[in-house]
Amino acid sequence: MPNLDSSLFRINLPTGQPRVGSILVAEPFLREEYFNHGVISLVEYERGKSSMGLVLNKTTGYTLGDAIEGVDEEVDIPIYCGGPLSCDRLFYLHTLGEEFSGSRRIAENLYIGGDFEQVKAYVNMGLETDGKMRFFVGYSGWDPYQLESEIEKHVWAVAPKPANEEIFREDGDSFWYRIVRLLGKPYRNWLYHPVNPQYN
């Protein structure tokens, strides 16, 4: 039996087209642990092929100093959960494309990856990372045409602005609410749906 509440919230919602650098916003009814109130930066996308993204606003409770060999223990930069796949791999987004060789630009002033030895040296020297870098374990992935199908069904909304350095300003639910507000009036009802549907 279809969820009537969910159907009502999905009527006539406009949707953008995804591309590398797009921000995906989870519908308020998406209850999977990794994606509930999730905001994702789409880092690999080509229509008809597999896609990859990183959940931006789910912290793991670990820091680089706790978890990464070669990083000083006192480095307390948080690690985020990028998604359910390859949770033994570390990914990083940053605005420091000129600092790390091999970085790949995915949007204006936003890069992924780069030489990890250079990254470790950067953080071990105590150089500025706040608002400039975010680290993730795991990633989110879609099979060919899966993401397009989910966007058409309004599982995800594509934010009107691509990702840039602003994605490092917030995390948690507050980030989700801020991005939903950017989606405009058609998505206003999303803001009034509780995280836990039992409270509705």
Side-chain angles (χ1 to χ4, degrees), residues 63-115:
T63 68
L64 286 185
D66 293 331
I68 305 301
E69 184 177 353
V71 175
D72 296 340
E73 292 182 4
E74 61 269 22
V75 174
D76 61 355
I77 301 169
I79 298 176
Y80 289 75
C81 180
L85 304 175
S86 294
C87 290
D88 58 345
R89 291 185 61 192
L90 185 74
F91 303 88
Y92 35 99
L93 295 173
H94 56 87
T95 64
L96 304 167
E98 295 182 359
E99 293 282 347
F100 312 131
S101 59
S103 297
R104 177 167 61 88
R105 183 181 182 274
I106 61 171
E108 183 179 358
N109 202 27
L110 185 66
Y111 300 82
I112 186 170
D115 188 295

Side-chain angles (χ1 to χ4, degrees), residues 19-24 40-46 50-56 91-93 104-107 110-113 136 139-140 142 147 163 167:
R19 64 181 189 273
V20 174
S22 290
I23 290 289
L24 306 178
I40 290 182
S41 175
L42 195 58
V43 299
E44 288 186 6
Y45 177 78
E46 185 176 345
S50 299
S51 305
M52 172 184 171
L54 296 169
V55 181
L56 297 167
F91 303 88
Y92 35 99
L93 295 173
R104 177 167 61 88
R105 183 181 182 274
I106 61 171
L110 185 66
Y111 300 82
I112 186 170
F136 308 85
Y139 72 94
S140 305
W142 295 265
L147 179 58
I167 65 174

